[in-house]
Amino acid sequence: MRLKPLSPQLEAKMKKKLSKLISKNFKNNILSGDGDIRSLIILGDGDGDDLVIPIVCHHLNGEKTVGITKPVNPRIGAISELPVILPLLNVNKIALVMDQEGDELKQLYKQIEKKLRKMNVKFEKGDADRRLVRYICKLGPRKFELILIISGIDEMPLKMHKIEDHLLKALSKLSKTEYDVGDSKEAWEGLDKSTQREVLLKLKDSRNLCLGIFSQHSKGLELLE
C-alpha cells in the first residue's frame, strides 16, 4: 500500500522524517504523488504516527494508493473534517488513527458517536474489537465507512496509552528487556536517534514483528484494501 499525502506541508514533513529515520529508498517506495484515491487515512495524533503508519502500510497490499492527511484538530476533533473531506474526495473508506490517551475506551467511543450524531452523520456499528471499530456511515447522500483505530497496548500498565506504546513494545522484544515507564511518548523521545532508527528499521524489515506489534493498525488498514 502506497501513501499520497494530501498537502505539500505533510508531504514535505513525511519525506524528511522517513528519509532521516529510515531511508530515502523507503521514502520513495512508500510515498506516491500519483493515482486516484478511494480510501483515506486521517492521522489524529502527533509525531509518531507519520513514521509508524507508512511502515505498517509497507507490509500491506503494495498495489493500492491511499490518501493520508493530518488535520489541525487532533483526535476526536479530526472527525470535524469529514464534511470538508467528503465533497472534495471520492473516498468511500476512511481510517482514523488516534491515541487512547487517558480516556476509557468505552467512554471514548461514546464521545466519538456523540460527535458523529452532532454532525448529522447517520451510522451503524459494524465489526468491532477492543481498539478497532468499523462504522457504516451516511452524511447527506454520501455513504462511507469510518474505521476507528485506537493506539495503545493494554498489557503495558500506563495511565496514558499512545502510539509510542507499540514502539517501546518492539524495543522490548528486540532487546529482550521490559521497559517500566510512566509515559511511553516521553520514554521513546528520550531514546537516542540511533536506537529509534534501529527499531524502525527492524519493524520495516520484519512483517511478522510489525503486524504483531501494531495488530489493530494492520487489521484496520487492511479494511481499506
Side-chain angles (χ1 to χ4, degrees), residues 114-129:
K114 181 179 179 181
K115 181 78 170 178
L116 290 172
R117 290 188 189 97
K118 189 174 181 180
M119 294 167 55
N120 296 317
V121 176
K122 297 178 180 179
F123 64 89
E124 294 180 4
K125 187 179 284 189
D127 301 332
D129 205 340

Side-chain angles (χ1 to χ4, degrees), residues 7-194:
S7 73
Q9 295 83 2
L10 180 61
E11 182 178 16
K13 183 180 180 182
M14 291 182 71
K15 282 182 175 180
K16 182 177 180 180
K17 290 179 71 173
L18 292 171
S19 295
K20 184 176 181 180
L21 282 172
I22 303 179
S23 72
K24 289 184 179 179
N25 284 340
F26 178 76
K27 176 260 295 182
N28 292 335
N29 289 334
I30 197 67
L31 296 183
S32 171
D34 302 319
D36 294 329
I37 58 171
R38 297 299 302 276
S39 302
L40 178 67
I41 299 170
I42 299 177
L43 302 180
D45 277 295
D47 291 333
D49 299 65
D50 54 9
L51 277 170
V52 165
I53 296 305
I55 295 174
V56 176
C57 290
H58 161 70
H59 293 295
L60 303 179
N61 183 340
E63 300 301 317
K64 188 176 181 70
T65 298
V66 174
I68 186 166
T69 188
K70 186 176 180 181
V72 173
N73 296 317
R75 301 185 76 231
I76 297 173
I79 295 174
S80 301
E81 300 292 321
L82 292 177
V84 178
I85 289 169
L86 289 169
L88 294 176
L89 302 173
N90 188 28
V91 295
N92 52 28
K93 293 186 178 182
I94 299 172
L96 171 60
V97 184
M98 59 180 283
D99 291 345
Q100 179 184 347
E101 296 284 355
D103 295 318
E104 293 290 336
L105 286 172
K106 189 177 292 186
Q107 187 61 32
L108 188 56
Y109 295 138
K110 285 183 179 179
Q111 291 178 46
I112 289 165
E113 291 168 10
K114 181 179 179 181
K115 181 78 170 178
L116 290 172
R117 290 188 189 97
K118 189 174 181 180
M119 294 167 55
N120 296 317
V121 176
K122 297 178 180 179
F123 64 89
E124 294 180 4
K125 187 179 284 189
D127 301 332
D129 205 340
R130 180 162 166 75
R131 295 178 180 274
L132 174 62
V133 179
R134 184 169 66 99
Y135 294 101
I136 315 302
C137 301
K138 186 176 182 182
L139 179 60
R142 287 292 301 276
K143 295 180 179 179
F144 64 98
E145 292 183 18
L146 177 63
I147 300 155
L148 183 63
I149 303 168
I150 307 295
S151 300
I153 297 177
D154 287 335
E155 65 192 66
M156 299 180 73
L158 305 169
K159 291 182 179 180
M160 306 277 280
H161 287 291
K162 306 172 184 178
I163 195 82
E164 287 82 9
D165 293 13
H166 303 263
L167 293 168
L168 284 187
K169 185 66 176 179
L171 177 59
S172 295
K173 279 186 173 290
L174 294 170
S175 64
K176 295 181 171 56
T177 301
E178 289 295 328
Y179 287 83
D180 185 14
V181 298
D183 187 300
S184 60
K185 184 178 179 68
E186 287 183 5
W188 173 256
E189 291 181 346
L191 298 171
D192 58 79
K193 293 299 182 185
S194 62

